[in-house]
Amino acid sequence: SIGGGDSDTPQNSFCRSCDKASSDFDVRHLFNLSTVYELPLGAGKRYANSPGILRTLVGNWEMSAIGTTQTGLPVNITVDRTNASVPGLYAVSGSERPDYVFGQSLTPAGGSTPNHWINPAAFAVPAKGTFGNLGRNAFRAPGITQIDLGLSKFVSLTERFSIRFRADVFNLTNRPQYGAPNADISASNFGVITTTLSNYATGRGTPRELQLSIKVLF
């Protein structure tokens, strides 16, 4: 394997340096922002601080938010070739890469879209008996941007017991989080994204979700 946690195998097992590239898990740019804000309502606060039903309802609320944005993970572009087309024992089947067509942009004209993420005109099948000159992990999958919001309220029952009611919204803007495109230039849907980032019911990359919870503190 390539090493460093990557699952790829080298295109040419006798030329490991030919596969030097970004790791499969390389996140080139990542920005996280988190904040917690205690609303100025209730006992000891600026507003609604007088005893009564209003203070009970609107007091002790806390708002939290987490925002994440990052660039996409690398995409390794490959090509299907027969064993007779590559240089004999030096090749590793399934890891061959195409030739890069000089002067062509890897990004489609007008920008990448889920139905056209990579420019197919930028690649060609290598001549028989040669390896493709395109580097490993030459392009990137879509980035990730997500905002999660939380709202919680603390209610004191006794000196020792209290309850926290909490509502969380994950992916507040319901922004689509796309997976990697098909990166095999021999496939009919090359460059098309057919999956989302996550197929799990919860977690990062899912559609908007609402979660309600109660926590007892003692």
Side-chain angles (χ1 to χ4, degrees):
S1 67
I2 299 298
D6 288 359
S7 58
D8 297 332
T9 50
Q11 176 176 241
N12 181 351
S13 58
F14 283 80
C15 185
R16 296 298 183 94
S17 63
C18 296
D19 280 67
K20 286 184 177 180
S22 299
S23 164
D24 288 355
F25 308 103
D26 174 62
V27 177
R28 189 56 53 89
H29 303 290
L30 171 64
F31 177 78
N32 288 317
L33 176 66
S34 62
T35 182
V36 178
Y37 177 64
E38 191 175 275
L39 300 182
L41 304 169
K45 306 297 192 306
R46 184 174 181 179
Y47 304 105
N49 50 28
S50 300
I53 186 65
L54 179 62
R55 189 177 78 175
T56 300
L57 293 176
V58 303
N60 297 325
W61 284 95
E62 185 179 87
M63 181 179 295
S64 60
I66 299 176
T68 299
T69 184
Q70 69 177 63
T71 50
L73 295 174
V75 173
N76 191 38
I77 300 170
T78 60
V79 60
D80 296 341
R81 303 179 70 190
T82 64
N83 291 336
S85 298
V86 293
L89 298 177
Y90 297 98
V92 177
S93 179
S95 300
E96 295 86 8
R97 297 188 294 274
D99 278 337
Y100 167 64
V101 179
F102 182 77
Q104 288 285 345
S105 171
L106 301 185
T107 303
S112 294
T113 65
N115 290 325
H116 194 199
W117 194 258
I118 312 174
N119 179 19
F123 313 102
V125 178
K128 184 176 181 179
T130 65
F131 286 114
N133 60 24
L134 183 71
R136 186 175 67 90
N137 285 345
F139 206 56
R140 294 266 170 173
I144 303 168
T145 299
Q146 182 164 322
I147 299 175
D148 302 328
L149 186 67
L151 186 65
S152 59
K153 177 178 174 60
F154 294 87
V155 179
S156 296
L157 301 178
T158 67
E159 290 185 357
R160 294 184 54 193
F161 290 87
S162 62
I163 294 178
R164 186 186 73 174
F165 299 94
R166 184 176 178 90
D168 292 283
V169 181
F170 303 101
N171 195 2
L172 177 66
T173 60
N174 203 29
R175 183 180 187 272
Q177 308 287 358
Y178 295 110
N182 187 322
D184 183 351
I185 72 166
S186 304
S188 59
N189 62 342
F190 169 68
V192 178
I193 298 176
T194 59
T195 61
T196 55
L197 179 67
S198 173
N199 293 321
Y200 295 102
T202 59
R204 190 175 65 167
T206 61
R208 183 192 297 124
E209 295 178 324
L210 175 64
Q211 174 181 281
L212 301 175
S213 62
I214 298 177
K215 183 177 183 179
V216 179
L217 307 173
F218 57 91

